[in-house]
Amino acid sequence: MAAVTSSRPYHIIIFGASGFTGQFVVEEVARCAAEGPGGSSLKWAVAGRSRPRLEEVLKQAAGRLSMPELKTDIEIIVADVSIEESLAIMCQQGLVILNCVGPYRFYGEPVVKACIENGAHYIDICGEPQFLERMQLEYHTKALDRGVYVIGSCGFDSIPADLGILYTQRQFRGTLTAVESFLNISSGPEGSSGHAATWQAAVHGFADSKSLRQLRKKLGHKPLPVVGAKIRKRSFVFFSKEIEQYAIPFMGSDPSVVKRTQRFLHEEEQQSPFPSLFSFGLFTKSGPTIKQIEDTCFSMILFGEGYSEGTDPTQGRPNAKICTQVLGAEPGYVATVSAMVQAAVTLLNEVHSLPRRGGVYTPGAAFYKTSLIDRLHNHSIKFSVRGYQ
């Protein structure tokens, strides 16, 4: 674990710890801190607008985890997105800020700005392409200059998809040229649901697709080169022979995040597969019950094709296929929380394996040279090869 400097008493500060997702992040960080030699030295705090609500969250976590010390040993920092000075004071106390306050397009930028200005790394679980891409456009150079990492979408959006592609590339013997991914979420007899705040973020993101197109024009990216056979564009509802069922194209941040990662890897290491991802979801105002969470899991299957070792990717059709799988616990509040916390632990322990000593990155671009996939394998998200031909 990275040493906490005298001026920064905490490795991790959970901002928005009293929110629906933030409460789960508190419990996961507490578990992580109790895991052993690496975790026992993990110093952390919670932050948010209301001290009484944060006290209640720590009290609940202490009861659920049988860790009474959480009520007395964990520091509370009062910070509000609308009060710049409070964010600055928070960011000056931690090495990594886990931002759980969304929708990020309304509340995320002040936290990103405060982290960069005050030298704290930033991680969120955003699934809003416009916010993620705008942060890259407006803050990448500033973050790079300050040596600060800003890494968005480190939850179910979009760790399984983004790192699933990287895992598939590593397992493929040759040149992987295309990947198509399918997501299935299965639940127990009580069904599954997400919290309304997640749905609110998604709705606002879809409603503002025009400004996302304008933003991408400002980024000025040239089209990435297509190697091998191009993936055909799917209709809104289609039947997949691979999974033998109907699917719809995924409308969230995964395609945006994966393309940004592939662009980074193309520019840094001359890699170039191009994926498409699919999913569907339901949301409620209250959020899922603990029983619903315990009974729900996800499976993401990735079908890749390309050219075997020694075969020229510019000649003929792809001649090799691979099928990989990312399996995980309930996506919204177990897998997301595990992914976010393990991303933070990886950043703390392997900062010298991250690119360029700072900047705004996707998870795949930030962590492609780290052990994050292995860490996730021990924390609710498992990667495996299902078949190869």
Side-chain angles (χ1 to χ4, degrees), residues 27 63 107 343 376:
E27 292 184 16
Y107 307 117
L376 291 171

Side-chain angles (χ1 to χ4, degrees), residues 129 132-133 152-153 156-166 169 178-181 216 224 250 252-266 271-278 300 302 361-365:
L132 294 164
E133 295 188 32
S153 57
F156 187 68
D157 299 299
S158 294
I159 288 254
D162 204 19
L163 297 192
I165 300 284
L166 297 188
Q169 285 176 293
V179 181
E180 190 165 38
S181 307
R216 286 172 176 168
L224 285 167
F250 182 66
S253 63
D254 284 2
S256 158
V257 170
V258 167
K259 283 173 185 170
R260 286 170 60 210
T261 295
Q262 293 304 316
R263 181 174 298 283
F264 172 83
L265 292 176
H266 172 71
Q271 298 178 12
S272 49
F274 301 97
S276 306
L277 297 130
F278 309 93
M300 179 172 281
L302 300 96
Y361 295 100
T362 60

Side-chain angles (χ1 to χ4, degrees), residues 191-213:
S192 65
S193 67
H195 191 259
T198 309
W199 178 247
Q200 182 188 0
V203 168
H204 283 296
F206 302 152
D208 210 13
S209 56
K210 183 180 177 184
S211 61
L212 182 58
R213 287 193 297 272

Side-chain angles (χ1 to χ4, degrees), residues 116-335:
I116 293 170
E117 289 177 353
N118 295 281
H121 303 305
Y122 168 99
I123 286 175
D124 70 32
I125 46 176
C126 179
E128 306 159 47
Q130 190 204 17
F131 173 78
L132 294 164
E133 295 188 32
R134 191 167 67 80
M135 292 305 98
Q136 181 183 347
L137 175 68
E138 296 187 13
Y139 289 97
H140 178 68
T141 302
K142 293 171 187 171
L144 192 57
D145 290 345
R146 288 293 187 97
V148 167
Y149 288 103
V150 174
I151 310 169
S153 57
C154 286
F156 187 68
D157 299 299
S158 294
I159 288 254
D162 204 19
L163 297 192
I165 300 284
L166 297 188
Y167 177 83
T168 305
Q169 285 176 293
R170 286 172 189 167
Q171 300 300 319
F172 190 81
R173 298 185 291 273
T175 305
L176 185 71
T177 57
V179 181
E180 190 165 38
S181 307
F182 295 87
L183 175 66
N184 180 53
I185 297 176
S186 53
S187 54
E190 295 190 21
S192 65
S193 67
H195 191 259
T198 309
W199 178 247
Q200 182 188 0
V203 168
H204 283 296
F206 302 152
D208 210 13
S209 56
K210 183 180 177 184
S211 61
L212 182 58
R213 287 193 297 272
Q214 292 170 341
L215 178 64
R216 286 172 176 168
K217 280 184 182 175
K218 288 181 187 173
L219 284 163
H221 292 314
K222 295 175 184 174
L224 285 167
V226 176
V227 180
K230 192 175 181 181
I231 290 182
R232 66 188 181 282
K233 193 170 178 62
R234 298 294 199 176
S235 57
F236 183 68
V237 178
F238 64 94
F239 185 81
S240 165
K241 289 184 287 187
E242 289 86 357
I243 60 171
E244 297 185 332
Q245 55 184 289
Y246 284 93
I248 66 169
F250 182 66
M251 300 293 285
S253 63
D254 284 2
S256 158
V257 170
V258 167
K259 283 173 185 170
R260 286 170 60 210
T261 295
Q262 293 304 316
R263 181 174 298 283
F264 172 83
L265 292 176
H266 172 71
E267 291 167 356
E268 294 286 317
E269 301 207 350
Q270 288 72 55
Q271 298 178 12
S272 49
F274 301 97
S276 306
L277 297 130
F278 309 93
S279 167
F280 188 67
L282 299 167
F283 297 82
T284 65
K285 188 72 179 170
S286 60
T289 64
I290 296 299
K291 178 69 173 153
Q292 283 178 318
I293 288 171
E294 288 172 348
D295 291 347
T296 303
C297 61
F298 79 87
S299 168
M300 179 172 281
I301 301 174
L302 300 96
F303 296 95
E305 64 176 29
Y307 298 79
S308 58
E309 287 178 306
T311 307
D312 185 350
T314 64
Q315 302 297 316
R317 303 280 304 168
N319 65 348
K321 292 184 177 181
I322 187 172
C323 176
T324 61
Q325 185 172 38
V326 185
L327 283 176
E330 189 279 333
Y333 309 101
V334 181

